[in-house]
Every structure is written in C-alpha cells, then in structure tokens.
Amino acid sequence: MRFVQLARNGHLQSDGFTILDDSRQPEQLIARGPWTLWDDQESVGTVPQVAGTRKCSLWAKGDVGDWWLKQVFGGRPFRQIMGFNADEEGRRFGDQVTSKMPGRTGEFPLIDWGWGRQRCEAYLLERFGVHWPKSYCTFCCFSASMGSLPAHMERMRSHPDIAGEVLRLEYTAMSLNPNAKLYGRKTLLEMFDPTQPRDRACLEAFERELDMPWALYHVRRLFLLSEDGRRRPVKRSTERIDLGRPHQLARRLISISERHGVDVERDPVYGRARAWVRPRAKSWPMAEELFATAPARVIDKQDKNFEQHWDALVSGSAAQLPLV
C-alpha cells in the first residue's frame, strides 16, 4: 500500500503543497508540515466555523489531497476509499454531490458493511489490544454539534497545556470579532469552572499562553450584497498598529477613546480592550470598524479591493481615533 503524507505550503492554493513522505514502507508519521490549519487560523485571528460546510477539513485535507491526485492520475480512472463510518451516511451523499474530479469513484466500505463508530472501535481493540480514541483537531468546533462535547472537555482537562493554547486561539479571535465563538453560541472559556481543580489547571495554562507580546489592531469589515441582492462573503482588513504588553496597550486605547467620546469594552480578568468606532448595523450592506487588543499572533491582512469597496460604501465619517 502506498502511503503518501502531504501538507500545504501556505494559505493560498498558489502556495502549493509539499510531499512529506511517499513510501510503501513508511517508518514515520509526520505530524506537521510547512503550514497547518492551526497556523492559518491563528494568523488571521479566527476559529473554524460551525455553520455551513466543513471548510476547514476541505481546506486542510480535501484540497491538498485532490491536488496530489490530479497530479498523479491526470484524469485517469481511480477508486478513492473513504473512511466514513455507518453513522455518517450523510457524508457519503455530500461526497458524491461535491466531488468534481475527473476519473474518480468514491467508495465507502464501512458504510456498506454497516460498521458504525462503536463497531470500528471494537475491531481496533480486538486487533491491537488498545482503545483507539477518535482523532480530531484540538480546536475542532464540531464536538458540540456532534454530541461529543463532554468527552471533548475531558480530553481538555487531561491535557491542560493544549486547552490553554485553544483558549488563546478563541480569545484572540473573539477580541477581533465577538461573534467568533468556538462552538457557535458557546465559548470554550465559559465551559471551565475555576473552582474545579482540573478546570483551574486549564485556565492557568491559558493565562500562561497570554503572557506574551500583545498588539493593538485596527479591524474593519464590509458586509456587501451582490447585484442580485444576495449576501457576499464578508471582507476584512486587519492592521497591527502597536505592540506592547496588554495593560499598556489597553491604557492607551482607553485614554484616547475617552478623549474622543468612544466607549471601550474592557475585560478585567484577561486584559482585552475593544473600542467600536463604527458599530455593526442591523441590515446589509453595512460596515464596522473597531480597535482591539489581542495576543500578537495575527498578521496584517486585507481582502482584495477592500479600500475601493470601503470608500464606496462608507459615506461621512464616524468618530475617528488618532491611533492609525
């Protein structure tokens, strides 16, 4: 059996991919390539989205696998064996609908055999003598919707350092966008009880993660409509305008905001400060603008033609802060 390990080189398709290993006698499972899904989420200050399709899986796994398959098979017929179990019948339908690769035929043996997750785990236990837990990203947002949140939280408590990293990822994303909760309407942070020792260990790991340089960010978003009135993907501009310690940056933002009559939201526990220069309206098209402090892991990034669309939509001027 040919075992090929692949990884993306960057955020864009034009960055290409790397073949980490290609062998019929593999000796090492390579856990990390040049650019991971975590790198991508952290660099843009967001978390995987619960709503809609599993874009994170498509981006990190499906796309790079398809690029390699097209390179190797070039349109020739081939079968691709998919590991969806019998509890995931809907994923077979989704695969058949979305697959556009010439020559590909998807096959789903576990579904055909009627093997659900419990049957698969029982087989692995019998075959290898160990319980084989489900593998998934530490920051996966689907553990809530799949009904496995209690088990997921137990894993977090067993690995508090990992919990601290994921809490930082979510906290950073929510600093730039309060709606960026890891589980849709719920945050990971609110699921930990500081009075419980195991939960407290996770929160202490989170506090250690926050002990790093922070940045003051200028964030703008555009919520635009297409010509036929449909909502277009949200455009965003993120710019880092200062670097320092969290309390230092918060004091600067509060001081300048107060002088210009702009309210500031402050998190007294973990240090975030956020000032809304242009709050989000209730209907599209609309724009929003804010300044926020967060761990300095988010890069400067602006969507194509953002300034052109911003100037076209935003007439007049909201309260300005002399920060940029």
Side-chain angles (χ1 to χ4, degrees), residues 22-284:
D22 184 351
S23 174
R24 287 181 170 83
Q25 294 180 317
E27 297 181 354
Q28 180 182 5
L29 178 65
I30 302 174
R32 181 183 175 85
W35 190 253
T36 68
L37 179 59
W38 175 276
D39 295 331
D40 206 68
Q41 300 285 295
E42 187 171 54
S43 70
V44 297
T46 190
V47 292
Q49 301 300 303
V50 175
T53 58
R54 300 187 184 211
K55 292 182 180 179
C56 50
S57 293
L58 294 174
W59 181 92
K61 297 187 289 186
D63 286 350
V64 68
D66 287 350
W67 298 338
W68 182 84
L69 289 168
K70 288 177 182 178
Q71 186 181 92
V72 171
F73 290 99
R76 292 181 289 116
F78 70 96
R79 297 180 302 148
Q80 186 171 15
I81 310 302
M82 306 299 291
F84 305 151
N85 67 63
D87 303 325
E88 304 174 304
E89 176 69 39
R91 298 186 70 182
R92 165 158 50 186
F93 175 76
D95 180 271
Q96 293 170 335
V97 169
T98 59
S99 176
K100 308 295 182 184
M101 187 178 300
R104 176 187 183 271
T105 299
E107 296 189 6
F108 314 89
L110 297 177
I111 295 178
D112 294 338
W113 303 341
W115 281 31
R117 172 155 296 280
Q118 287 188 345
R119 178 66 183 86
C120 294
E121 289 181 351
Y123 171 80
L124 291 169
L125 179 61
E126 178 184 352
R127 177 71 176 80
F128 296 103
V130 296
H131 172 64
W132 205 298
K134 177 180 175 61
S135 68
Y136 59 94
C137 293
T138 57
F139 52 102
C140 181
C141 60
F142 292 104
S143 54
S145 60
M146 293 168 59
S148 56
L149 192 55
H152 174 66
M153 293 304 297
E154 279 303 301
R155 280 199 184 185
M156 285 288 182
R157 296 180 181 104
S158 298
H159 302 277
D161 289 343
I162 292 177
E165 292 178 343
V166 180
L167 285 166
R168 175 173 55 79
L169 180 73
E170 179 188 59
Y171 191 78
T172 302
M174 290 187 63
S175 297
L176 307 183
N177 179 6
N179 295 320
K181 300 177 181 179
L182 192 53
Y183 305 119
R185 296 182 179 181
K186 295 181 179 180
T187 70
L188 176 62
L189 183 58
E190 68 188 80
M191 295 181 188
F192 290 105
D193 181 352
T195 66
Q196 300 300 313
R198 297 180 70 208
D199 286 17
R200 183 60 205 166
C202 296
L203 295 173
E204 289 172 351
F206 173 43
E207 292 172 1
R208 291 193 296 271
E209 287 288 325
L210 295 179
D211 185 17
M212 60 174 296
W214 279 42
L216 175 60
Y217 291 99
H218 181 212
V219 183
R220 292 176 292 163
R221 291 187 184 84
L222 285 168
F223 304 80
L224 304 176
L225 297 174
S226 61
E227 292 183 359
D228 59 1
R230 290 181 297 175
R231 294 182 175 184
R232 297 172 58 183
V234 177
K235 288 181 173 292
R236 191 180 85 169
S237 171
T238 304
E239 179 186 7
R240 181 190 295 182
I241 59 176
D242 198 1
L243 192 67
R245 302 303 300 175
H247 296 296
Q248 167 200 357
L249 296 173
R251 283 196 301 270
R252 181 187 176 200
L253 180 58
I254 291 170
S255 175
I256 295 177
S257 297
E258 287 179 346
R259 291 203 303 269
H260 290 78
V262 176
D263 293 334
V264 178
E265 303 167 357
R266 182 72 192 277
D267 176 5
V269 179
Y270 298 112
R272 172 180 58 217
R274 183 167 51 217
W276 292 92
V277 176
R278 186 184 299 273
R280 186 179 304 185
K282 294 184 178 180
S283 60
W284 294 45

